[in-house]
Amino acid sequence: MKVYQTNEIKNIAVLGSSGSGKTTLAEAMLFEGGVIKRRGSVDSGNTVSDYFPVEKEYGYSVFSTVFSVEWQNKKLNFVDCPGSDDFIGGTVSALNVTDTALMVLNAQYGVEVGTINQFRYVDQFKKPVIFVVNQLDNDKADFDNTINQLKERWGNKAVQIQYPVSTGTSFNAVVDVLKMKMYQWKPEGGVPDVLDIPADQMDKAMELHQALVEAAAEHDDALMEKFFDEGSLSEDEMRAGIRAGLLARGMYPVFCVCAKLDMCVRRTMEFLGNVVPSPDQMPGYENTAGEMVKLDPNGATSLFFYKTTLEPHIGQVSYFKVISGKVKEGDDLLNADRGSKERIAQLFVTAGQTRSQVPEMVAGDIGATVKLKDVRRGNTLNGKGADNKFDFIKYPDPKYRRAVKATNESDSEKMMEILIRMHEEDPTWLIEQSKELKQTIVSGQGEFHLRTLKWRIENNDKIAIEYLEPKIPYRETITKQARADYRHKKQSGGAGQFGEVHLIVEPYTEGMPTPEIYKFNGQEFKISVRDTQVIELDWGGKLVFINSIVGGSIDTRFLPAILKGITARMEQGPLTGSYARDVRIIVYDGKMHPVDSNEISFMLAGRNAFSTAFKNAGPKILEPVYDVEVSVPADYLGDVMSDMQGRRAIIMGMDSEGGFEKLKAKVPLKEMSNYSTSLSSITGGRGSFIMKYASYELVPTDVQDKLLKEYEASQEED
């Protein structure tokens, strides 16, 4: 493949719901571009995009796949993204390094929940959009309904470039209202016959052509003026107007394809090459210093590595985008993240697992290299004169979590190494070795996401693992004031141990004042604040430690030991052994011994005084609560709401959007354990949700009683 310049490159993310036919479309484009000699199929497991064993096993995309096609003196870089919401990480990565989204719709279903979910990210990254209505040969294809759904959701931004003459088994022709021609195919597809529009289609074609001309003129003042003067635009002028509309995100062109039969694929590729913006027409990337770096081929070299994979017989394959300058084989670059030097021994253009070597790549291009020493996903490599570091890819929060362990305990260390490697390949697989829960927690985007992880470890790495219900990271706190004292005294020959601590505990909220007097059992305790420490706890919440010692009853040097004892006890709360939080402690009195007092004595005295006071201060268990947003077709809303209410959810509101209902709720994490599976079952796979940590809230009394009994039973077993 030749070296293409920035203005000759088009970077396109291929998006769409599962089953929309993205991978089949990718095969057709690769075939038309001469990259492959024969089109594969998903059913046969021989497509370019789905080349990992797990993808062949499940029959659809798990990872995003990069492929490049040369078409009419342009280089089209595509990233074929998984359709399932479980693998949204690939979509997020792709949208960050591409410039246009090609959104594939299944003509049977039109705008699906998956379409809306992916479009949310398209909006977030402000990418131009082109819709492609696929599978028009299906008996249940309904092109008009799909257009109505597009219009309902995106209004007049959705502008038809084409429409099918008929759908179903008779589909073989489309009318193109930009070219004002009809394209007709023989049964084998491929190169069409270009014909005049039949008389019975002319009125409809002219109406859509006029709408297209108006939409094209809308985003360019000069074109608008010409349109008002002459009432029409030339084909080139319309292309310029459509490009302006794409860049302004004020226009979403709609195309027709039948990828399986290779119909209208060539025309779509022609449009992509002619009209979609090249990298130099898009905004640059902001580096971590807040500076905007333009995609300038004459600038200093900077590469951003957005993806890595491990492939048999090769090892790590590192995918990058040239943000600035040029990169050549043999270049020595500096890793801005790790400080190491790297030599780019080889540069590749990829088509799935097939790689074609190229000598050079310029700003805006997407490529791959192998056998780098110390490069990870998210790293930046700089050439001479560049000092950039990029960190612009932000992944969604996880929605499904499981504890994981190796079936054979001797494999535990190897399992952790594999999990860390898997996270490098898919950053939405999150791995945490929880000291608190004493479990290894794997989090992802759904049950299928984690099932895929398990399949890969067991089939590729030959290690048996099992998933367990994860423990919930409860917290403990108090609801009222309490006082306690404790004397630690030990004498066993020679120097003894002595420390006595008197303290008050109370629930802490931000900005609360410190009372001057506390009353317990009719006795007053006057407080004189000498020092206040506010400690941000690693597990959330705060510990406020107030020194109110007067008269030197406890030497100041022992206060850190008292605090250490209290902190240690807060790491294992008195109720269930969970972390304690949001407590204010006032040490107001105590005693010490001139010989026997030492740090260990006051650490133990502080720990035990705190434990006693905590138990008398109305202790309560807190549970993590998440903000959950569920998108479902309107028909399923009642069932979804009933299911939510059974999960102790608090419904916060509802919105309607384009035939879908959006339900917002606050739900305890405990109740979300199997939600992705349940939602899929309730909605036939057409529902989706996102969740994000909101806060810790008090558990209901019946739930607390159950947790206390479970903890007591576990302590007895131990």
Side-chain angles (χ1 to χ4, degrees):
M1 185 177 283
K2 76 171 194 176
V3 176
Y4 285 85
Q5 300 308 305
T6 305
N7 62 357
E8 299 171 323
I9 295 167
K10 314 287 180 169
N11 295 321
I12 302 154
V14 185
L15 311 179
S17 291
S18 293
S20 59
K22 299 178 301 302
T23 299
T24 305
L25 177 59
E27 286 293 299
M29 290 192 288
L30 286 161
F31 176 75
E32 289 292 352
V35 179
I36 57 176
K37 301 300 181 188
R38 183 179 178 184
R39 289 181 289 142
S41 73
V42 173
D43 291 340
S44 301
N46 60 350
T47 62
V48 168
S49 288
D50 295 348
Y51 63 92
F52 280 94
V54 67
E55 294 176 310
K56 294 179 181 180
E57 172 72 17
Y58 287 128
Y60 55 85
S61 303
V62 169
F63 302 101
S64 62
T65 304
V66 183
F67 65 94
S68 299
V69 176
E70 294 177 287
W71 189 257
Q72 297 179 347
N73 297 316
K74 299 288 194 304
K75 182 185 181 189
L76 308 182
N77 290 323
F78 294 96
V79 185
D80 179 17
C81 300
S84 169
D85 202 37
D86 279 34
F87 304 102
I88 195 68
T91 301
V92 171
S93 294
L95 284 170
N96 272 277
V97 297
T98 55
D99 304 311
T100 301
L102 189 69
M103 184 71 74
V104 184
L105 303 175
N106 186 328
Q108 299 175 72
Y109 306 120
V111 177
E112 301 180 74
V113 169
T115 313
I116 294 166
N117 290 342
Q118 293 187 339
F119 208 94
R120 184 186 294 122
Y121 291 101
V122 173
D123 274 343
Q124 181 182 328
F125 301 127
K126 297 181 172 58
K127 302 294 182 179
V129 179
I130 297 166
F131 287 107
V132 177
V133 184
N134 190 21
Q135 302 187 39
L136 289 162
D137 62 321
N138 191 286
D139 284 340
K140 295 179 181 178
D142 191 337
F143 182 79
D144 291 338
N145 183 54
T146 299
I147 292 296
N148 290 337
Q149 290 178 9
L150 288 169
K151 294 282 188 184
E152 183 180 350
R153 188 160 193 93
W154 289 288
N156 291 330
K157 287 186 176 183
V159 181
Q160 285 179 247
I161 304 285
Q162 298 172 333
Y163 69 88
V165 175
S166 65
T167 60
T169 53
S170 62
F171 171 77
N172 71 342
V174 301
V175 172
D176 189 305
V177 299
L178 171 58
K179 293 276 194 179
M180 285 306 285
K181 291 289 182 181
M182 184 174 81
Y183 291 77
Q184 186 170 301
W185 290 269
K186 296 180 176 65
E188 67 272 14
V191 180
D193 295 322
V194 183
L195 310 171
D196 290 332
I197 297 173
D200 65 343
Q201 296 293 327
M202 188 55 75
D203 287 347
K204 181 176 182 179
M206 284 303 300
E207 181 183 345
L208 291 173
H209 176 77
Q210 193 67 14
L212 177 59
V213 171
E214 291 179 21
E218 187 178 336
H219 297 93
D220 186 302
D221 291 341
L223 292 178
M224 181 64 79
E225 191 173 324
K226 182 175 181 185
F227 172 66
F228 282 142
D229 289 343
E230 301 179 15
S232 65
L233 298 174
S234 70
E235 189 177 318
D236 285 342
E237 287 168 337
M238 289 173 70
R239 281 201 192 96
I242 294 169
R243 185 181 299 110
L246 280 169
L247 284 165
R249 302 193 74 243
M251 181 179 183
Y252 304 147
V254 182
F255 275 77
C256 301
V257 298
C258 179
K260 185 177 179 182
L261 301 178
D262 190 13
M263 295 181 180
C264 213
V265 175
R266 297 171 66 89
R267 171 69 184 114
T268 303
M269 291 170 67
E270 176 188 282
F271 180 84
L272 296 175
N274 287 336
V275 179
V276 303
S278 52
D280 54 351
Q281 295 173 303
M282 299 297 290
Y285 289 92
E286 190 175 289
N287 63 22
T288 55
E291 302 161 339
M292 188 61 72
V293 180
K294 295 293 290 180
L295 288 108
D296 178 7
N298 298 313
T301 301
S302 284
L303 313 183
F304 176 71
F305 287 79
Y306 71 94
K307 174 185 172 180
T308 61
T309 61
L310 281 172
E311 298 187 15
H313 315 300
I314 296 169
Q316 182 171 298
V317 180
S318 303
Y319 293 84
F320 62 85
K321 182 170 187 176
V322 186
I323 304 293
S324 175
K326 301 180 177 70
V327 61
K328 300 182 182 68
E329 288 189 337
D331 280 357
D332 290 314
L333 305 175
L334 180 67
N335 190 324
D337 300 85
R338 306 172 76 84
S340 52
K341 288 185 178 179
E342 295 284 352
R343 171 159 288 188
I344 306 295
Q346 295 171 298
L347 290 172
F348 297 104
V349 170
T350 62
Q353 62 184 333
T354 304
R355 285 167 292 278
S356 304
Q357 207 163 337
V358 290
E360 177 183 281
M361 288 185 171
V362 305
D365 211 347
I366 292 172
T369 187
V370 296
K371 298 179 180 175
L372 296 178
K373 294 183 300 182
D374 196 29
V375 171
R376 303 288 182 268
R377 173 189 43 80
N379 286 179
T380 305
L381 292 189
N382 289 320
K384 188 176 180 181
D387 188 23
N388 293 313
K389 187 175 175 183
F390 298 99
D391 183 25
F392 48 77
I393 301 183
K394 309 298 179 190
Y395 295 99
D397 294 317
K399 298 183 287 192
Y400 189 83
R401 56 198 291 274
R402 281 292 177 265
V404 61
K405 70 173 188 177
T407 305
N408 187 339
E409 199 170 322
S410 63
D411 289 330
S412 296
E413 190 173 330
K414 189 175 180 184
M415 179 194 75
M416 278 306 301
E417 291 174 2
I418 295 166
L419 288 172
I420 291 166
R421 188 188 78 211
M422 294 291 193
H423 168 70
E424 183 69 18
E425 290 192 50
D426 181 349
T428 58
W429 280 322
L430 300 182
I431 318 300
E432 177 198 359
Q433 284 187 293
S434 175
K435 173 187 169 186
E436 174 188 2
L437 305 179
K438 299 179 178 63
Q439 290 180 315
T440 298
I441 305 294
V442 218
S443 303
Q445 296 298 306
E447 182 195 10
F448 185 49
H449 194 210
L450 292 198
R451 190 151 35 97
T452 302
L453 178 68
K454 187 174 190 288
W455 190 96
R456 293 190 74 200
I457 292 173
E458 294 189 332
N459 289 273
N460 296 351
D461 298 286
K462 310 302 180 186
I463 292 180
I465 64 170
E466 57 182 307
Y467 285 144
L468 310 167
E469 189 76 19
K471 297 174 186 174
I472 301 298
Y474 292 108
R475 298 287 181 265
E476 298 181 15
T477 194
I478 52 178
T479 58
K480 64 181 183 180
Q481 299 170 349
R483 190 203 70 81
D485 55 72
Y486 188 88
R487 174 181 290 183
H488 174 75
K489 185 177 181 181
K490 188 175 182 182
Q491 195 72 41
S492 56
Q497 293 180 0
F498 183 89
E500 185 174 321
V501 173
H502 298 230
L503 53 75
I504 294 167
V505 300
E506 63 182 337
Y508 175 75
T509 55
E510 199 68 42
M512 65 184 284
T514 306
E516 294 182 0
I517 295 176
Y518 289 86
K519 289 185 179 180
F520 297 100
N521 299 322
Q523 186 178 356
E524 291 188 350
F525 297 85
K526 191 172 182 182
I527 300 303
S528 177
V529 177
R530 300 171 67 84
D531 179 56
T532 301
Q533 294 183 57
V534 180
I535 299 158
E536 298 277 354
L537 299 168
D538 292 342
W539 50 88
K542 291 181 179 178
L543 163 62
V544 178
F545 184 75
I546 295 177
N547 170 15
S548 182
I549 299 292
V550 293
S553 58
I554 300 177
D555 198 299
T556 307
R557 65 193 170 96
F558 292 129
L559 288 171
I562 296 172
L563 177 58
K564 186 177 180 182
I566 291 168
T567 305
R569 193 67 181 104
M570 289 186 75
E571 288 190 22
Q572 192 172 13
L575 292 181
T576 59
S578 304
Y579 291 140
R581 57 177 280 169
D582 299 326
V583 178
R584 182 156 70 185
I585 297 158
I586 301 156
V587 178
Y588 67 88
D589 200 2
K591 291 180 182 177
M592 58 183 180
H593 188 277
V595 176
D596 293 344
S597 287
N598 53 28
E599 290 186 356
I600 188 70
S601 302
F602 278 100
M603 186 178 79
L604 293 170
R607 175 189 174 96
N608 287 296
F610 169 73
S611 185
T612 302
F614 193 97
K615 290 176 180 177
N616 295 328
K620 287 285 186 181
I621 298 171
L622 300 166
E623 64 181 342
V625 173
Y626 279 65
D627 286 324
V628 179
E629 187 178 289
V630 189
S631 293
V632 294
D635 295 349
Y636 298 106
L637 181 61
D639 292 338
V640 170
M641 282 190 70
S642 296
D643 180 71
M644 270 288 178
Q645 286 161 353
R647 296 175 187 274
R648 296 193 283 128
I650 299 173
I651 306 299
M652 304 303 291
M654 287 181 288
D655 292 316
S656 296
E657 258 186 281
F660 289 90
E661 298 295 326
K662 191 179 289 184
L663 181 68
K664 296 178 181 178
K666 289 189 178 293
V667 192
L669 177 62
K670 173 69 174 174
E671 307 297 335
M672 294 299 293
S673 173
N674 64 343
Y675 187 63
S676 64
T677 309
S678 297
L679 181 64
S680 180
S681 175
I682 292 168
T683 64
R686 299 193 67 206
S688 70
F689 74 103
I690 55 175
M691 60 185 281
K692 188 172 185 178
Y693 167 74
S695 61
Y696 269 88
E697 304 292 341
L698 295 172
V699 301
T701 303
D702 59 327
V703 176
Q704 176 154 323
D705 291 342
K706 182 181 176 184
L707 291 171
L708 291 174
K709 287 176 184 174
E710 288 175 356
Y711 183 69
E712 287 170 9
S714 69
Q715 295 300 100
E716 287 173 9
E717 287 175 11
D718 291 345

